[in-house]
Amino acid sequence: MVTSSYRGDFERCRLLCDSIDARVTGITRHVILVEAADMALFGTLAGPRREIVCERDLLPFWLRPFPDPMSLGRRRIWLSPKGPPLRGWHVQQLRRIAMAATMPEAVLISCDSDVVFLKPFDAGSLQHDGAVEFHRIAHAFSDLPEPALGEHRAWSRKAGDLLGLPRTVVNETGYIATLIAWRTDTAREMVARIEAVGERPAVASLSATRLLSECTIYGRFVDEVEARPDRHVASERRLCRIYWSGGAMSGAEIEGFAETMAPDQVAVGIQSFTGTGIGLIRRAAGLA
């Protein structure tokens, strides 16, 4: 299980770790990917089944974080000679792709740091006779309003460019989830494809754009390039119920939100930018 995080989400990541330790089985380890400046802070979360990995061990030397002058130094921005300035959420995706391409395990489960497991979850349930569950929802964009529709289409178009697919084709399938499984052999082949198309290292091609959705790149690779249906079992189930927009929730509202989880959902993800108190989430999760 892999989580890419940063110091602003530290307490949420700590809660995720507590919920994994209490409720998740079937994983070899939990890896947290952070920038060098956050290693000491996140090092307090390390343990027998948890490793903290520095992005310097995953990304090239020429991609470096600096204080963002537009936020008076409160946020970070990543600069490189290969493309435009990148935000933290862009670089978190690069870390996940790099980790997926190098780790020895057969399956990576990507889990955002504002996720908390509320039910027991056996990660082995994502494997079916050697195939791995592949999140895809057909025609997922059709009901999206603007600007979200345009954003998803731009991500899909850029994914197609990176993979060498026809420019005129925009895949309307949804591949994005906050708790999702990838095959690492597929991820390695995806990276090799990006390198072959771009004729340079994959990170150089990926860091040359701000239109990044690693789930969309992986999904289009599986659907339109890989041609190995034996490796994947398509599934529309969403393992995590997401609170994406709206105001801060009260404790009672969090409990009500959790009560509306689908039977096969095992976690909730309450986005940090909603301002919902982490203490309230912890208590509602029974991990106070």
Side-chain angles (χ1 to χ4, degrees):
M1 187 166 283
V2 174
T3 300
S4 196
S5 194
Y6 77 111
R7 65 175 51 241
D9 268 0
F10 176 74
E11 288 301 330
R12 284 175 165 75
C13 192
R14 186 203 298 273
L15 176 55
L16 166 66
C17 293
D18 291 344
S19 72
I20 289 172
D21 293 345
R23 293 166 181 152
V24 175
T25 57
I27 61 172
T28 57
R29 55 182 173 146
H30 179 210
V31 179
I32 303 175
L33 314 176
V34 298
E35 68 161 299
D38 292 345
M39 283 292 291
L41 175 64
F42 279 84
T44 61
L45 302 179
R49 285 203 312 166
R50 181 163 295 111
E51 300 172 26
I52 316 302
V53 173
C54 180
E55 70 174 32
R56 294 273 54 86
D57 295 327
L58 297 170
L59 302 178
F61 72 92
W62 45 257
L63 182 61
R64 294 281 182 170
F66 296 90
D68 180 6
M70 300 301 292
S71 68
L72 301 178
R74 291 189 300 272
R75 297 177 182 173
R76 306 284 273 171
I77 196 165
W78 276 253
L79 303 179
S80 85
K82 309 294 184 180
L86 300 179
R87 297 290 182 186
W89 68 276
H90 297 116
V91 178
Q92 288 185 17
Q93 296 183 63
L94 300 182
R95 294 177 198 154
R96 277 191 289 261
I97 292 172
M99 189 69 198
T102 57
M103 62 193 296
E105 288 89 349
V107 180
L108 173 152
I109 300 173
S110 178
C111 182
D112 287 358
S113 57
D114 47 16
V115 167
V116 56
F117 287 88
L118 301 184
K119 300 177 186 177
F121 173 57
D122 176 11
S125 66
L126 296 176
Q127 292 184 283
H128 308 273
D129 297 324
V132 175
E133 198 160 302
F134 170 50
H135 179 78
R136 73 183 310 278
I137 300 178
H139 310 296
F141 302 164
S142 57
D143 295 328
L144 281 179
E146 293 290 0
L149 176 60
E151 185 175 49
H152 279 270
R153 284 179 171 166
W155 289 341
S156 179
R157 186 173 292 108
K158 177 52 68 175
D161 290 345
L162 290 164
L163 296 170
L165 298 172
R167 178 74 178 173
T168 56
V169 176
V170 176
N171 189 329
E172 298 282 339
T173 304
Y175 302 107
I176 301 172
T178 58
L179 182 57
I180 192 169
W182 284 8
R183 291 183 65 109
T184 56
D185 52 6
T186 294
R188 286 188 289 273
E189 291 171 15
M190 177 187 77
V191 167
R193 172 76 174 204
I194 293 170
E195 292 181 340
V197 169
E199 298 182 334
R200 56 180 174 170
V203 176
S205 292
L206 292 164
S207 61
T209 178
R210 292 164 66 95
L211 294 173
L212 275 180
S213 167
E214 84 277 36
C215 293
T216 304
I217 300 168
Y218 181 89
R220 292 201 67 179
F221 179 80
V222 171
D223 268 346
E224 301 172 63
V225 179
E226 184 180 45
R228 288 290 304 271
D230 57 301
R231 288 184 172 183
H232 306 278
V233 176
S235 173
E236 293 192 354
R237 71 169 176 158
R238 295 179 173 91
L239 293 170
C240 183
R241 177 156 163 69
I242 299 294
Y243 182 66
W244 182 261
S245 61
M249 287 197 288
S250 67
E253 287 171 329
I254 297 169
E255 292 176 3
F257 181 77
E259 288 171 359
T260 62
M261 293 167 65
D264 60 353
Q265 289 181 324
V266 296
V268 296
I270 300 175
Q271 296 294 316
S272 55
F273 49 72
T274 66
T276 303
I278 187 64
L280 296 177
I281 301 172
R282 181 175 283 278
R283 284 193 290 274
L287 294 167

